């Protein structure tokens, strides 16, 4: 079955993104384009004059002059949780830091109790709503971490919910085990005992269930030391889970260097990573996943994106969707913050949520509009691609194709540009 997307003003194929620096030609733009999907793969992207004719039975979408991009990839979220932490918003606005809030007992443990109390069915319904919001912004692949259960049965419950979300929504879901998110209150003062539980009981159980692809750890003062983190990541690898690290978010504790040392697939956050950490990541080929919406929300400094890019580190971007430090599903805000606050170009930012984000999840079959790539496409009612991060705070998506199927359509007249904008 063939799906044809016709009347595309510009197809942003990302065909010019290789392993090296990302130049202006990285976007690989094709003007006046036709995109064809065969099954769940892209069959071709052509200029209209070169496209093969439609055949009887083809499903045709009129893009009405939209810009087409690869379905966005969000490689770092904590999307499965119950409750919210809006109560912390005012104290933080008055100057209390995220870590002060955590020390006052209003941090991550505030999400723990309602998440533990919620049934798998309730968590699925809550997270499904969040994933459908992501889809509405053109996201077609999302990584989801566990880490609000913090005992074996609870962590397995969260991973099973993530797995079900992948089967019962249009999005591809990549589950990550993150039992080492925070030391739970019942292990207060006994962090090493909790690390032993993660390594000796949780990881074997998670590996038996077979859904998680990665093992992540919050390497941070007051959470897990580099030594404890290393122990967990090495044990995870022995169970077939590739390492990821929450590194240097609030202090330069050596998280980036640890990620490089264990050949982690990605090191995430990196707000406080110094020159040593940058060099270590460049040498190891670890992807830096930067989360500028979190820095924006917390009023923290931004990660050294330019230093990372200039050193040759592949840089991906993600929302970090979670109830404490970044309650948003919106990847377009992330693109804006990456350009305005981290000095990234539009091409670098878009690569960060397509080709580079795929690499941060160990996926090589998506992130481009290219023959053989997964048929994940988002259509945007914008006059050119830079308009997406430029006109922030509004959603210009008119259609989303996930795995070759139309997953979402919105009325372009309700979404689109006024004459003055166009
Ligand atoms: Zn995170």
């Amino acid at each position: 079955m063939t799906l044809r997307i016709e009347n595309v003003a510009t197809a942003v194929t990302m065909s010019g993104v290789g392993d090296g620096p990302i130049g202006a030609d990285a976007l690989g733009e094709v003007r006046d384009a036709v995109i064809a999907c065969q099954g769940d793969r892209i069959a071709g992207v052509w200029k209209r004059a070169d496209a093969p004719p439609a055949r009887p039975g083809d499903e045709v979408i009129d893009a009405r002059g939209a810009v087409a991009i690869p379905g966005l990839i969000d490689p770092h979220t904590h999307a499965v949780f119950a409750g919210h932490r809006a109560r912390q918003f005012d104290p933080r606005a008055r100057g209390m830091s995220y870590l002060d809030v955590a020390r006052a007992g209003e941090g991550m443990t505030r999400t723990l109790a309602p998440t533990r109390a919620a049934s798998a069915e309730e968590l699925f319904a809550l997270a499904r709503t969040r994933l459908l919001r992501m889809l509405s912004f053109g996201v077609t692949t999302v990584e989801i971490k566990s880490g609000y259960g913090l005992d074996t049965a609870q962590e397995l419950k969260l991973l099973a919910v993530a797995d079900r979300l992948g089967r019962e929504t249009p999005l591809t879901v990549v589950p990550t085990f993150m039992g080492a998110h925070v030391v739970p209150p019942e292990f207060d003062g006994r962090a090493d005992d909790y690390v032993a539980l993660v390594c000796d009981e949780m990881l074997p159980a998670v590996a038996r269930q077979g859904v998680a692809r990665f093992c992540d750890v919050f390497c941070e003062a007051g959470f897990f030391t580099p030594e404890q983190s290393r122990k967990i990541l090495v044990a995870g690898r022995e169970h077939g889970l590739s390492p990821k690290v929450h590194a240097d978010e609030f202090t330069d504790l050596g998280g980036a260097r640890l990620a490089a040392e264990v050949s982690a697939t990605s090191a995430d956050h990196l707000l406080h990573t110094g020159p040593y950490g940058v060099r270590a990541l460049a040498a190891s080929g670890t992807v830096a996943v930067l989360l500028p919406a979190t820095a924006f929300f917390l009023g923290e400094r931004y990660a050294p994106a330019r230093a990372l890019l200039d050193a040759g580190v592949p840089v991906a971007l993600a929302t970090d969707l979670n109830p404490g430090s970044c309650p948003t599903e919106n990847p377009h805000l992330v693109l804006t913050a990456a350009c305005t606050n981290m000095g990234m170009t539009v091409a670098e930012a878009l690569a960060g949520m397509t080709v580079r984000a795929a690499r941060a999840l160990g996926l090589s079959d998506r992130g481009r509009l290219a023959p053989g790539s997964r048929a994940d496409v988002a259509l945007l009612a914008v006059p050119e691609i830079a308009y997406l991060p430029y006109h922030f705070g509004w959603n210009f998506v008119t259609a989303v194709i996930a795995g070759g199927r139309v997953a979402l359509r919105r009325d372009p007249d309700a979404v689109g540009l006024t004459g003055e904008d166009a």
Side-chain angles (χ1 to χ4, degrees), residues 225-313:
T225 66
E227 293 71 33
Q228 291 165 338
S229 302
R230 182 183 296 109
K231 200 176 275 185
I232 290 164
L233 295 173
V234 168
R237 193 184 275 298
E238 282 166 7
H239 285 96
L241 305 182
S242 297
K244 283 179 171 283
V245 185
H246 280 59
D248 308 335
E249 181 175 0
F250 299 106
T251 51
D252 186 358
L253 202 64
R257 278 171 284 168
L258 172 67
E261 179 198 318
V262 300
S263 301
T265 304
S266 72
D268 302 38
H269 285 292
L270 306 174
L271 275 58
H272 291 264
T273 300
Y276 289 115
V278 171
R279 278 201 291 275
L281 291 175
S284 68
T286 298
V287 180
V289 177
L290 306 185
L291 311 160
T294 310
F296 168 76
F297 183 76
L298 294 180
E300 296 276 345
R301 69 200 278 176
Y302 287 81
R306 275 283 34 112
L308 289 159
L309 285 162
D310 294 345
V313 178

Side-chain angles (χ1 to χ4, degrees), residues 325-346:
S325 63
C326 199
T328 185
E329 293 90 351
N330 187 336
H332 306 172
L333 285 178
V334 172
L335 297 174
T336 302
C339 296
T340 57
N341 297 103
M342 299 199 305
M344 291 174 72
T345 65
V346 173

Side-chain angles (χ1 to χ4, degrees), residues 18 33 74 131 135 218 234 250 266 273 291 314 338 340 348 354 409 419:
D74 191 340
L131 261 60
L135 182 75
F218 202 155
V234 168
F250 299 106
S266 72
T273 300
L291 311 160
T340 57
E348 286 168 338
T354 54
R409 292 202 79 164

